[in-house]
Structure formats: C-alpha cells, structure tokens
Amino acid sequence: MVKDKTHVTDSRLGERTGVPAVKKGTQDPMEMDPMPEGSTPFQAPELSTRREAFWLAAGWGVFGWAGLTSVGMLVRFLFPGAPFDPAQVFSAGAPEQFPNNTVSEAFKKSNQVWICNQEYEGQQILFALSTICTHLGCTPNWLDGDQKFKCPCHGSGFYANGINFEGPAPRPLERFRIFIGDDGSIVVDKTKKFQQEKGEWADPDSYIPAV
Ligand code: FES
C-alpha cells in the first residue's frame, strides 16, 4: 500500500490504489526530497550570463583605459614640448615693452611664444617666435649670455633671430602672425605661421618694424 500521496505519479497505479495521481512537474516544492549533502546548488543561467557580461565589460574598460593612457604617453614622449592647450590669439602689450635686441619670455609658458626684437637681414623688427624645436618638438631655453636658444633634448642651437646653426634641427624656428591692434598693442595670431625656408619671413604679416 502506498502511504505517501506525493510519490504516486503513475496514473495507472493511482487507479489501482485509489490514490489520485500527481502530475509530473506539479509537485509542491516544499514536499520534494531535500538536496543531497555536498551537491552543487542549481544556478540560474540568466544570472551567470549577467556576471559574464559584467566581467567582460569591466575587462574591456580596463583595456581601453590602458590603451588611451599608453597613446597619451607615447605622444608626450615623441613630442615632449608640444602644447596641449595653447591660446591662439592674444595681446602681448605695447611695442615699447620690447626694446631692441631683446628676447622676451613673458609669453613662453602661457602661449609658447617668444616676442623678439632683433635685427634680421638689415632691418630691426619685432616678431613672435614659436617655442617648439624644429627637430622633435622640445622647448629650447633662451640663453641670454650666449644670445641663443638651446634645445635641452638633443642640443640644437638657434640664433636670436630663430635661425638654426647647430645640432640636428633641420630648419629655423617658426614665426607666427603679428600685428598692431586697434588699441596700439601687439597682437599675436598663432593660427598663421611662417617658415623661413619657404621664404615666408618676407611676408609683412610675419613681423612689425621696430620703432
Ligand atoms: S627636440 Fe630639440 S634638438 Fe631634438
């Protein structure tokens, strides 16, 4: 005789014993046999998929961050003197602030420009010189005692007028557009540059006659 109703799952046996058969899959979970000790609990496949998706996303995030950081470091290594946030057009003050035969470093840090008042091809002129070395982009130092720019990276030297004369730099420093603004002060426009080796230093936008 069958005493436990929940174990009667065969309809024919139910008919013989008078106990109504219980349909497979409709048993009350509370009455089911407990899980054998030491067995692995059942894990919903959906939860597992979510976990995998999370770790996959986290992995790609770390990979992307590492990639971007590496590229940034590579750019900094190749072009250590390259400015990342330059002001393109700025006022440099009255021309009188820049006496003859001087190099002003007032805008070197903030705008990556030297304002020079030097003689070039027999004319005393004011011009805005780029602080980016034409070899690999380092920032040269102005050595007032030697009256020259000297690049600390590979030793290139430039005269006060920007012409290269020693080291691996293949060409002179570049000039930027310079003019006198409506208020009489010097304006430097870095969106336009002039290269000596292309004959562009003859362009009147590349200098102001000194007073
Ligand atoms: S970057 Fe200036 S000499 Fe190389």
Side-chain angles (χ1 to χ4, degrees), residues 14-185:
E15 281 167 19
R16 283 203 300 276
T17 59
V19 176
V22 178
K23 245 180 158 182
K24 275 183 185 173
T26 59
Q27 285 171 285
D28 184 345
M30 297 301 291
E31 295 180 16
M32 291 176 74
D33 291 336
M35 193 182 285
E37 210 170 306
S39 62
T40 310
F42 173 75
Q43 199 168 33
E46 194 185 339
L47 183 61
S48 169
T49 307
R50 272 192 210 148
R51 275 193 190 149
E52 281 172 13
F54 169 78
W55 285 114
L56 191 65
W60 275 108
V62 171
F63 180 72
W65 173 82
L68 285 174
T69 304
S70 303
V71 169
M73 288 173 71
L74 181 65
V75 170
R76 259 305 183 201
F77 175 76
L78 291 175
F79 307 101
F84 276 72
D85 183 27
Q88 293 299 296
V89 181
F90 63 95
S91 174
E96 296 74 37
Q97 293 176 15
F98 307 97
N100 285 1
N101 305 316
T102 58
V103 170
S104 169
E105 300 206 90
F107 300 95
K108 179 183 178 182
K109 239 184 175 172
S110 57
N111 302 86
Q112 294 79 50
V113 166
W114 286 294
I115 305 291
C116 307
N117 184 337
Q118 296 291 328
E119 186 184 320
Y120 181 69
E121 294 190 336
Q123 190 180 8
Q124 194 73 31
I125 57 173
L126 278 159
F127 52 92
L129 209 55
S130 167
T131 64
I132 298 174
C133 179
T134 52
H135 179 221
L136 288 178
C138 285
T139 303
N141 298 308
W142 168 244
L143 307 180
D144 201 53
D146 296 333
Q147 287 290 293
K148 69 175 183 181
F149 300 99
K150 186 73 174 171
C151 185
C153 291
H154 313 99
S156 290
F158 305 84
Y159 293 123
N161 60 19
I163 300 292
N164 56 309
F165 69 94
E166 65 180 351
R171 57 192 181 85
L173 297 171
E174 295 177 351
R175 287 184 192 174
F176 294 118
R177 182 176 174 233
I178 190 169
F179 58 95
I180 299 294
D182 293 340
D183 62 355
S185 64

